Amino acid sequence: MENLEEKSVGQIVAEDYRAAEVFENHKIDFCCHGNRNFGEVAQEKNMDVQTLINEINKVTQGKAEDQNDFESWPLDQLSDFIVKTYHRHAEEQIQVLRPYLEKICQVHGDHHPELFEVKDIFMEVSGDIAKHQKKEELMLFPFIKKLAHAQGNKDVLKALPSKAIEDRVKMLTDEHDSQGEAFRKMAELSHDFMIPEDACMAYKVSLQGLKDFQDNLHKHIHLENNILFPKAMKLIEQLAA
């Protein structure tokens, strides 16, 4: 990959998702705060820029297998993919994880009191995520699909609430920040979802489930913050010109 220092971390991951592995390893947020400049982020982390570039180039060598080029996807295709792949999966995982967390708090809470706070945070943020996804599906994605179909047709654009779309994108992006912060707090409390030696199977399933949920959330937010939303905003500007 070329000219990494001139790009945002979100743009780097958008161009090749394999770079996310490097950012995850160094606790660099490429989803909620993906608009930050790569070089500036490296400085904030007190990391050698060239070392980080070398790591990214190493994992992105060669052609990626089974990697979708989301940047080239039409907006309607990408929004449908997000709903089917990430929204539905999140809904399923929330239903699985909530009772598991209740159970392990009862069984292991005396020796691992941090579990109670992890559970409380997940209960709150999972409810927020469920509401958030419905907002996207009902209040934003239908308009994004109309935008995609409106290319070259300014009459269609005039019928769309462009300012409302922009406001909703801003609102949902802010909610992404809150979701990311909740998972950062849970990761901190659980030492990055580390499974202790005395963990039973339910404990292991719970922490691994939270880790998987976090990883999927990062990918989910990345697709929206760094690809879907910017492309929609750019299209509004083009159609309004």
Side-chain angles (χ1 to χ4, degrees):
M1 300 182 74
E2 299 179 350
N3 304 319
L4 294 183
E5 292 178 75
E6 301 174 7
K7 299 176 181 178
S8 69
V9 291
Q11 183 182 358
I12 292 169
V13 176
E15 291 179 4
D16 194 321
Y17 193 79
R18 292 175 294 177
E21 177 185 343
V22 175
F23 292 142
E24 291 277 14
N25 290 341
H26 292 291
K27 301 290 189 291
I28 294 173
D29 183 354
F30 62 86
C31 53
C32 296
H33 298 104
N35 60 341
R36 294 178 302 162
N37 175 267
F38 171 78
E40 293 175 359
V41 170
Q43 290 181 347
E44 289 175 9
K45 291 283 186 178
N46 294 317
M47 296 187 63
D48 178 67
V49 174
Q50 190 56 51
T51 298
L52 204 53
I53 289 174
N54 292 342
E55 289 184 30
I56 291 172
N57 285 334
K58 183 177 180 180
V59 300
T60 57
Q61 282 181 347
K63 186 177 180 180
E65 297 293 333
D66 300 323
Q67 179 170 302
N68 292 310
D69 182 15
F70 294 115
E71 282 272 21
S72 68
W73 283 20
L75 292 175
D76 51 349
Q77 181 183 357
L78 183 54
S79 57
D80 281 343
F81 175 82
I82 289 170
V83 171
K84 293 175 183 177
T85 304
Y86 293 105
H87 286 196
R88 298 292 85 86
H89 180 71
E91 291 168 358
E92 293 169 2
Q93 288 305 104
I94 287 170
Q95 297 305 313
V96 171
L97 286 170
R98 282 185 164 188
Y100 267 112
L101 289 170
E102 292 279 10
K103 180 177 181 179
I104 65 173
C105 281
Q106 294 173 4
V107 176
H108 296 276
D110 289 344
H111 294 101
H112 298 280
E114 72 280 0
L115 288 175
F116 290 102
E117 190 170 356
V118 169
K119 181 201 70 172
D120 289 344
I121 293 172
F122 183 77
M123 293 299 181
E124 181 176 358
V125 74
S126 61
D128 291 342
I129 288 172
K131 294 175 185 175
H132 171 91
Q133 292 183 163
K134 288 302 179 186
K135 290 180 195 173
E136 289 182 336
E137 293 174 25
L138 298 175
M139 298 171 57
L140 181 61
F141 287 4
F143 292 112
I144 286 180
K145 290 182 179 182
K146 289 181 180 179
L147 266 177
H149 299 152
Q151 295 192 48
N153 189 336
K154 293 190 177 183
D155 290 334
V156 175
L157 176 66
K158 291 177 182 178
L160 290 174
S162 300
K163 181 62 168 61
I165 293 173
E166 294 177 13
D167 291 343
R168 289 168 190 177
V169 165
K170 174 65 168 61
M171 173 188 69
L172 294 166
T173 301
D174 289 344
E175 290 180 5
H176 286 164
D177 291 346
S178 298
Q179 295 163 17
E181 183 57 38
F183 272 87
R184 278 190 288 275
K185 181 63 175 176
M186 285 189 283
E188 179 184 333
L189 288 166
S190 61
H191 305 288
D192 284 330
F193 307 108
M194 184 174 66
I195 298 172
E197 292 183 0
D198 62 339
C200 65
M201 184 55 66
Y203 201 146
K204 294 177 182 177
V205 169
S206 298
L207 289 196
Q208 186 58 54
L210 287 173
K211 177 66 168 60
D212 291 344
F213 197 112
Q214 176 185 252
D215 292 346
N216 277 309
L217 185 66
H218 286 172
K219 295 174 185 176
H220 176 184
I221 293 176
H222 160 67
L223 288 178
E224 293 180 350
N225 279 16
N226 299 323
I227 301 179
L228 182 67
F229 294 170
K231 286 182 71 173
M233 293 299 95
K234 185 177 181 180
L235 189 53
I236 287 176
E237 293 175 3
Q238 291 174 344
L239 290 170

